Amino acid sequence: MRFERREHRPFYLLIATPVIAIIAALALAGILISIAGAPVLDAYWRILTGAFGSRLSATETLTRATPLMLTGLAAAVAFRARLWNIGAEGQFYLGAIAVAAASSKLLGNLPAPILIPLLLLVGAIAGMVLILLPLWLRLRFSVDEVVTSLLMNFIAVLFVSMLIDGVLKDPLAFGWPQSQSVSDHAMLPKLIARSRLHIGFAIAIALAIVVHFIQSRTVFGMQSRAAGLNPAGAVFAGVPLGRTLVKVACLSGGLAGLAGAIEVMGVKGYVTTDLSPGFGYAGIVVAMLANLNPLGVVFAAIFTATMFVGADGMSRGLGIPTYIADVTVALSLLTMLIALFFTQYRIRR
Amino acid sequence: MTQLFDIIASAGLWAAVLRIATPLIFGTLGALLCERAGVLNLGIEGIMTFGAMIGWLSVYHGADLWTGLLIAAVAGGIFGLLHASLTVTLGLSQHVSGLGVTLFASSFSYYVFRLIVPLANTPPTIVPFQPIAIPGLSTLPFIGPAFFTQTAPTYLAILIALLMAYIIFRTPVGLAIRMTGENPHAADAQGVNPMKVRYGAVIIGSALMGMGGAFLTLSAFNSFFPTMVQGRGWICIALVVFASWRPGRALFGALLFAFFDAFQLRLQTALSGLVPYQLFLMTPYILSVAALAIMARRARVPQALMQPYRRGER
């Protein structure tokens, strides 16, 4: 069996690829569900209705999709330049804790129209800071940033744990390690009344459009893409590789930090060490499912959120562990990889 | 100061060093073997988690400890086969494939575990490997209790490190692995099949990773809980660079690393209340980043690492 590169890629294939990948992942996860002794179609139906069956669940799913869109964008912009930022989880937490700190210690008294944008900016900057060390190590010592940015996740979560156990601890939390709450007027306005869906959802979609515009229409977008496709060629063509990667890293880390900030200001109001059920890692899958396309990220994030939110109800109803959602999402990364391969190659005997 | 000295002079510290080092030795050797053949295996964190889970589950269901370890190795090998199919046959990005394997293997571990062991307040336990006192040596003062009363997998890990050093540098198989990692085209021209070598290295390397995970549940602890691997896999990837892709140095690096870890654990109790405990918990990760930064310049990376090989295509 040999593989032959396709001369051109038909457009319909690019659209069909994620769909095929998701169906394949659902089929594989279906095997696991049926081994567990539950009816597969019923299980998926429960996931779907659990995620979109009512106004409450639908808004909940979109609320859950919001941080995933941002961490997905963070991964997508970095991966496109072949900057392997796997540290979105840590950047998320740093963004979150920076917001809690700035709101409770420094800026809390400002009026909402100034405070909210300022806090979002603080969160984004905190996320950027965390990616700078791995980036510096790569540029200066050519250390692969995958492992360093990943290790920063553990450091960041422990750092957050230290702060919410110490200087930022909420004295009213009955000794529970939890940060002080952000002030009420720092909370993001609701998008739909009597739901948890907040304006962050709209911000995330707007950012996906902005990132799409940056990538397709600006010099920086072109340079970051060239850096990813062929770094040596890009340098030869006059792309300032180091500077481009710094900008890409700031964009990526900023988006992940913003995800943390928005989660605190939109949903929880305070930080604990279980603020993120792996949003940073799921963002990698979201980015891959979207084939690193910023607009695709919006849909991939909604798919992922659907699995996570829907799995809760399904789990209660059928006794299947909720981890089936994580399994399906991870499987869809692998099936997407294979599906993408076959958009580029065909089998020749 | 005397407190620090007391810590270092205690046999308990050195016994803990070997115990903490064991999963790192397995994992680092596994990752090293893959990388020597030119394949970065970021699936390690997930493979270790799965090894820990399946090893524990087998013993919990009546298998003996060695069978549990073997099952963990086989399971690791299967994930290695998956990673090799994606990266060697299809030539996909080793970064992304490895992350995919990690995400899948760890969530799959939690799923299987929760399916079979329902939520309980106290996690069910097994009887783990017991320390074996090596006759004669274990009665030596200080050294005996520290180094010669470990559990069997610890001795096995050290043996495998020495064996791997011998195989890689002294045998034709080792030469084939090194050539494949440096220049698969040249290896191919010499009649070595780079695809087969890479498959073999990734499968056996991943089997070692599985055993490293199983050590956690079958020897160090007696139960499984999610997130118990705690980044040890990523630390192993850093240790491979620290070891400059040499098994002997990998053994040394893992022991050095474990020394710092065991030391900080004891310092943590000595200084409890004075310094936030999270600072101590951070040290393994900070050390790994530091190790990468220090060694990355001097290290000689296998030249074909992360490059897919297709015959007749460059």
Side-chain angles (χ1 to χ4, degrees), chain A residues 178-232:
Chain A
Q178 166 180 322
S179 83
Q180 286 174 301
S181 302
V182 298
S183 37
D184 278 344
H185 57 286
M187 292 299 282
L188 295 174
K190 294 279 178 268
L191 211 52
I192 295 177
R194 289 180 295 114
S195 77
R196 298 211 299 170
L197 190 64
H198 52 84
I199 199 102
F201 178 69
I203 297 177
I205 290 181
L207 280 171
I209 296 168
V210 170
V211 170
H212 176 75
F213 177 80
I214 291 176
Q215 286 195 332
S216 55
R217 296 289 151 83
T218 66
V219 175
F220 161 66
M222 191 274 293
Q223 286 177 336
S224 77
R225 195 179 181 148
L229 286 175
N230 180 354

Side-chain angles (χ1 to χ4, degrees), chain A residues 331-349:
Chain A
L331 274 173
S332 65
L333 169 57
L334 294 173
T335 51
M336 181 66 185
L337 271 179
I338 298 169
L340 272 178
F341 175 81
F342 285 107
T343 63
Q344 290 164 358
Y345 289 87
R346 64 174 94 228
I347 298 177
R348 199 180 62 183
R349 283 170 209 289

Side-chain angles (χ1 to χ4, degrees), chain A residues 275-343:
Chain A
L275 182 69
S276 158
F279 285 134
Y281 302 108
I284 297 166
V285 186
V286 167
M288 288 309 298
L289 270 181
N291 197 12
L292 309 188
N293 179 317
L295 299 178
V297 161
V298 173
F299 299 99
I302 292 175
F303 161 73
T304 307
T306 304
M307 289 307 299
F308 284 134
V309 173
D312 282 341
M314 191 276 288
S315 169
R316 274 193 301 275
L318 298 177
I320 303 291
T322 48
Y323 288 117
I324 194 67
D326 301 74
V327 174
T328 314
V329 168
L331 274 173
S332 65
L333 169 57
L334 294 173
T335 51
M336 181 66 185
L337 271 179
I338 298 169
L340 272 178
F341 175 81
F342 285 107
T343 63

